């Protein structure tokens, strides 16, 4: 008798769980689609950099130098850096981590280590802002001399 009851309840319970799972998946998809729009409104800031490139000129081999790129939030919403990606291990970046309100300023410092490099050098840092699809590209140039 218990076995008959279990078999009668199995199919309706399975159907219910599948429907519940499908509804939950649809809600997650809706949240993901709509969440990006809400985040874009909150993080609707606009980065305006003072400059997008820096030329260090001639460097001695092994010299480590940095360029500080300042920017201002000229948009209405918040502006926050998600991450900064550099091209190789010879270049690292430090940056403002807090969200900036409209009118506030921040920075990205790109540090270049010329060890292991010779001749003309071009390095790039891509700055990804929350709510923005494309990164801002910051470029540095140097001529590394022989030592």
């Amino acid at each position: 008798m218990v076995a008959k009851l279990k078999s009668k309840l199995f199919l309706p319970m399975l159907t219910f769980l599948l429907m519940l799972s499908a509804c939950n998946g649809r809600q997650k998809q809706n949240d993901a689609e709509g969440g990006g729009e809400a985040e874009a409104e909150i993080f609707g800031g606009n980065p305006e950099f003072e400059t997008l490139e820096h030329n260090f000129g001639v460097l001695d081999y092994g010299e480590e130098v940095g360029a500080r790129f300042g920017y201002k939030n000229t948009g209405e919403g918040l502006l926050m850096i998600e991450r900064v990606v550099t091209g190789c291990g010879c270049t690292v970046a430090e940056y403002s981590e807090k969200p900036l309100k409209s009118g506030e300023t921040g920075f990205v410092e790109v540090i270049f280590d010329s060890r292991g490099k010779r001749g003309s050098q071009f390095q790039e840092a891509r700055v990804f802002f929350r709510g923005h699809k494309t990164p801002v590209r910051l470029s540095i140039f140097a001529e590394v001399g022989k030592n």
Side-chain angles (χ1 to χ4, degrees), residues 21-36:
S21 175
C23 289
N24 191 25
R26 171 57 60 192
Q27 182 61 41
K28 285 182 181 176
Q29 182 180 358
N30 288 342
D31 289 347
E33 291 170 356

Side-chain angles (χ1 to χ4, degrees), residues 56-126:
F56 292 111
V58 179
L59 300 177
D60 291 331
Y61 176 83
E63 192 174 350
E64 188 176 292
V65 292
R68 192 174 182 101
F69 295 89
Y71 66 93
K72 181 178 184 177
N73 180 3
T74 60
E76 293 300 314
L78 294 175
L79 182 65
M80 182 176 177
I81 295 176
E82 283 186 338
R83 68 187 185 281
V84 179
V85 179
T86 58
C88 75
C90 65
T91 309
V92 295
E94 296 176 359
Y95 54 89
S96 303
E97 295 184 18
K98 67 177 182 99
L100 302 177
K101 295 177 184 174
S102 182
E104 291 184 329
T105 59
F107 72 92
V108 176
E109 185 167 6
V110 180
I111 302 163
F112 173 67
D113 185 351
S114 68
R115 283 181 289 187
K117 303 290 182 184
R118 293 207 188 324
S120 296
Q121 298 296 313
F122 167 80
Q123 298 297 327
E124 189 174 73
R126 294 182 319 239

Side-chain angles (χ1 to χ4, degrees), residues 46-47 49 52 79-86 108 124-139:
N46 182 49
F49 279 82
L52 298 175
L79 182 65
M80 182 176 177
I81 295 176
E82 283 186 338
R83 68 187 185 281
V84 179
V85 179
T86 58
V108 176
E124 189 174 73
R126 294 182 319 239
V127 184
F128 292 86
F129 288 92
R130 184 170 288 173
H132 291 253
K133 292 181 180 178
T134 57
V136 174
R137 296 176 183 270
L138 304 175
S139 303

